[in-house]
Amino acid sequence: MNFNQRIMRHAVQWVVVFTVMFVSCQDYIVERSASDYFPLSEGDWWQYSRDDLYNPMTILVEVEALDTIVQVACYPVNFSDDTRYYAKDSKGISEYVQITHTFSGNEYTIAEGFVRRLGLPLVKGAAYTDSIFGSLDVSGELIYAVHRVDEFVADYEDDDLYGSVYRVSITAVTSISYQDSTVQNGYQVEEYYAPGIGLVRFDVDDGSYRLIDYEIE
């Protein structure tokens, strides 16, 4: 075998090695992206605890029977007596949002619908944005409202109990604009998702809550 033939042989071998490495990496990403990071079936439940020496707190999250809101099939999810409604499809998890205005003792809906809260697939660096908006004329005053959710998949990290989990940063803001003012409120949360389990930790203003028990159908 001459020198050129040896060079060509080594080049082919390296191409094969890099191809195998690339395919394996792609398969790993696809596998992680396709995993069920948000189980959502009737009867599923998760319990979270906030470690606080002076004010410990637990939150029980339970999925109830399938329902329908604005012609969308969704699951009521009870967060310790605070019920939220989630719909799931191939693009992720959407949450029902209703923006209202009270006038003369009556409540009027300015905007409502499902806003994507957790976009899929979960891949490091992915960013998702969704929103709903609407307007309403109340006694001659035109009121505008918008609800926007921004999600960023920051990273995947090692957890002592669940291995590699995705860390997702979510910011939600609701704005209501009147003729002479604008009112805003919202929240920001860091959430950690593990495949086959779902949410295993979330960090909010009053502390960090970790999963202590769960049951998934």
Side-chain angles (χ1 to χ4, degrees):
M1 183 182 296
N2 60 35
F3 178 77
N4 289 334
Q5 288 176 324
R6 287 199 300 270
I7 292 295
M8 181 62 67
R9 179 179 178 181
H10 286 303
V12 171
Q13 289 175 338
W14 277 110
V15 169
V16 171
V17 169
F18 281 121
T19 300
V20 171
M21 291 175 62
F22 177 77
V23 171
S24 298
C25 183
Q26 290 293 96
D27 287 344
Y28 177 70
I29 293 174
V30 170
E31 179 183 352
R32 293 184 66 85
S33 301
S35 298
D36 191 356
Y37 284 87
F38 204 114
L40 197 60
S41 299
E42 181 182 354
D44 291 349
W45 61 266
W46 301 260
Q47 188 172 25
Y48 303 90
S49 176
R50 182 187 67 184
D51 291 330
D52 189 312
L53 181 62
Y54 301 101
N55 186 26
M57 182 177 293
T58 60
I59 294 177
L60 179 62
V61 179
E62 300 175 282
V63 182
E64 300 176 357
L66 192 66
D67 200 350
T68 301
I69 298 181
V70 292
Q71 299 181 334
V72 175
C74 59
Y75 285 96
V77 180
N78 189 299
F79 287 75
S80 293
D81 297 327
D82 174 23
T83 301
R84 307 170 192 177
Y85 297 87
Y86 293 116
K88 184 175 183 179
D89 59 26
S90 60
K91 295 181 179 180
I93 303 295
S94 298
E95 181 178 5
Y96 173 73
V97 174
Q98 182 182 36
I99 307 173
T100 62
H101 172 72
T102 301
F103 179 78
S104 297
N106 296 316
E107 188 174 73
Y108 300 89
T109 297
I110 308 173
E112 67 175 329
F114 282 84
V115 182
R116 195 166 310 285
R117 189 182 181 282
L118 183 68
L120 297 176
L122 290 178
V123 177
K124 179 183 176 181
Y128 303 94
T129 297
D130 199 9
S131 63
I132 60 168
F133 58 89
S135 62
L136 182 69
D137 189 323
V138 179
S139 190
E141 180 181 13
L142 191 60
I143 303 172
Y144 295 93
V146 60
H147 178 83
R148 171 173 169 154
V149 176
D150 292 298
E151 171 201 352
F152 179 68
V153 184
D155 205 349
Y156 53 84
E157 304 178 350
D158 288 331
D159 184 273
D160 293 340
L161 294 177
Y162 309 110
S164 293
V165 299
Y166 275 108
R167 177 168 60 91
V168 182
S169 176
I170 298 174
T171 302
V173 177
T174 299
S175 300
I176 303 178
S177 298
Y178 304 92
Q179 288 182 350
D180 56 358
S181 64
T182 298
V183 177
Q184 287 189 337
N185 61 75
Y187 65 86
Q188 185 171 9
V189 58
E190 296 280 331
E191 298 182 339
Y192 298 76
Y193 289 89
I197 299 174
L199 184 63
V200 296
R201 171 185 165 190
F202 58 94
D203 299 339
V204 290
D205 290 341
D206 68 342
S208 178
Y209 292 79
R210 285 186 171 271
L211 183 68
I212 57 173
D213 199 5
Y214 69 96
E215 183 174 304
I216 298 173
E217 297 292 334

